[in-house]
């Protein structure tokens, strides 16, 4: 087993597997394609050798040899904890269904057009977008496309998202039930998802007659540094008794700043995040729950249905989230 290593020095080929297993490359190809024509014994031996050598199929070569590559492109932006969990769920769902993923990231210097250009080398059959949250993706109507997290009006785009309105309504209701009135929203940037959650917060506050208590502190982005800066802004003015953040990263960062300044969570300020990501569980943070692995499976089902021309009844799946109660919310302090 001396040849086993996590990543081969060079790419292992079908010929390498065939030579080690003592069979023809054609037989190895049959096994790797899970096609008929190999005995159970040969199949077992070839798969064991392929695993030992670290063989992986060449996605590009397979794409060129087939009309359908079974490759899904994934576009993602600044990946917070929730997006990382979504990507993990997409990998698991794709592997179960025998598809491959090719990821392309958006950065400050790499926009949607450039990120898509790097995917074209793989002849992807379909696209899943975790970002950028745009109203009309460049490939809308050109390839089977699913966006995750926001609404797109284009009829050629499928959508899997969580109801921001339902989630924010639950968060505000929970704080109101605990006696809170001064409830502030930390908005994660200016994107479509951030605006949707901000508007949902405003609607929830107005439904409780708290129009005069509406306060929005806008972060420049949606990561922990943005949450820290937003929390420092809160400290400059009259402190709210409750905070509903755009996501868990911002909420956790705001909590850290508050506690550094001698404030107690939830004694002085109750805090709610959004996503119920790993960071929410680590900080024992009350959060609006999204279930990334379930969402990923739904997105993959949509993609495969579209590529096989299977009927899809509704192009938009909107999931209603639950509010997961933990230790960061409690009764409002006396005024």
């Amino acid at each position: 087993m001396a040849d086993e290593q996590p990543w081969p020095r060079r790419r292992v080929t079908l010929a390498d597997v065939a030579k080690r297993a003592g069979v023809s490359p054609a037989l190895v190809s049959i096994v790797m394609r899970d096609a008929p024509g190999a005995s159970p014994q040969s199949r077992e031996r070839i798969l064991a050798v392929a695993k030992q050598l670290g063989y992986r199929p060449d996605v590009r070569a397979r794409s060129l040899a087939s009309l359908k590559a079974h490759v899904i492109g994934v576009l993602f932006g600044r990946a917070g904890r929730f997006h990382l969990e979504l990507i993990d769920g997409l990998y698991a769902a794709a592997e179960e269904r025998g598809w491959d993923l090719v990821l392309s990231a958006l950065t400050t210097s790499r926009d949607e057009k450039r990120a898509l250009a790097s995917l074209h080398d793989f002849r992807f059959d379909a696209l899943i977008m975790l970002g950028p949250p745009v109203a009309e993706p460049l490939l809308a109507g050109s390839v089977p496309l699913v966006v995750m997290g926001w609404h797109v009006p284009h009829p050629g785009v499928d959508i899997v998202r969580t109801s921001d309105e339902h989630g924010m309504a639950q968060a505000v209701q929970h704080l109101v039930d605990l006696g809170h009135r001064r409830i502030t929203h930390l908005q994660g940037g200016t994107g479509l998802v951030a605006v949707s959650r901000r508007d949902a917060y405003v609607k929830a506050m107005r439904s409780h007659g708290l129009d005069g208590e509406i306060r929005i502190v806008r972060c420049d982005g949606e990561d922990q540094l943005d949450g820290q800066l937003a929390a420092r802004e809160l400290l400059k003015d009259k402190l709210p008794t409750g905070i509903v953040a755009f996501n868990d990263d911002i909420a956790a960062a705001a909590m850290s700043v508050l506690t550094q300044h001698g404030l107690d969570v939830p004694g002085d300020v109750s805090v709610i995040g959004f996503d119920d990501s790993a960071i929410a569980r680590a900080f024992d943070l009350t959060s609006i729950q999204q279930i990334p692995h379930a969402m990923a499976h739904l997105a993959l089902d949509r993609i495969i249905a579209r590529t096989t021309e299977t009927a899809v009844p509704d192009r938009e799946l909107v999931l209603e989230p639950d509010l997961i109660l933990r230790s960061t919310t409690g009764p409002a302090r006396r005024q």
Side-chain angles (χ1 to χ4, degrees), residues 42-60:
S42 295
R43 191 177 297 274
E44 184 178 352
R45 184 170 74 258
I46 289 168
L47 290 174
V49 169
K51 182 178 180 181
Q52 179 186 348
L53 294 180
Y55 172 79
R56 291 181 60 81
D58 188 332
V59 174
R60 292 195 192 196

Side-chain angles (χ1 to χ4, degrees), residues 5 13-14 55-56 58 69 83 92 95 98 108 116 125 148 155 165 171 177 179 205-206 210 212 229 267 282 324-325:
Q5 49 191 341
T13 66
L14 285 174
Y55 172 79
R56 291 181 60 81
D58 188 332
H83 273 187
E95 185 175 353
T108 52
L116 286 171
D125 300 296
M148 300 187 71
E165 186 171 316
D177 289 344
M205 291 289 283
R206 286 176 174 163
L210 298 176
L229 295 174
I324 306 302
L325 301 180

Side-chain angles (χ1 to χ4, degrees), residues 77-101:
R78 295 174 65 181
R81 298 280 179 171
F82 178 69
H83 273 187
L84 292 175
E85 292 176 27
L86 264 182
I87 291 170
D88 183 58
L90 288 172
Y91 270 119
E95 185 175 353
E96 287 175 11
R97 291 156 174 78
W99 285 64
D100 289 302
L101 298 184

Side-chain angles (χ1 to χ4, degrees), residues 227-276:
Q228 291 174 8
L229 295 174
R232 293 193 178 104
E233 283 297 312
L234 286 178
L235 294 169
K236 295 177 182 178
D237 204 349
K238 189 175 182 181
L239 200 67
T241 65
I243 292 172
V244 182
F246 168 80
N247 64 11
D248 294 334
D249 293 84
I250 288 176
M255 283 170 51
S256 296
V257 171
L258 294 173
T259 54
Q260 287 168 13
H261 284 78
L263 295 164
D264 179 69
V265 177
D268 295 309
V269 185
S270 287
V271 180
I272 298 178
F274 201 117
D275 292 336
D276 193 38

Side-chain angles (χ1 to χ4, degrees), residues 14-25:
L14 285 174
D16 295 324
V17 177
K19 183 177 180 181
R20 176 64 64 88
V23 298
S24 69

Side-chain angles (χ1 to χ4, degrees), residues 86 89-90 93 97 128 146-148 158-162 291-306 312 314-320:
L86 264 182
L90 288 172
R97 291 156 174 78
I128 293 175
V146 173
V147 301
M148 300 187 71
D158 285 298
I159 301 150
V160 177
R161 66 181 179 89
T162 298
I291 306 176
H293 276 239
M295 294 176 70
H297 279 73
L298 289 170
L300 257 293
D301 288 342
R302 279 289 157 115
I303 283 291
I304 293 171
R306 293 299 187 187
V312 176
D314 299 302
R315 71 180 188 90
E316 185 165 18
L317 290 175
V318 183
L319 310 178
E320 291 197 352

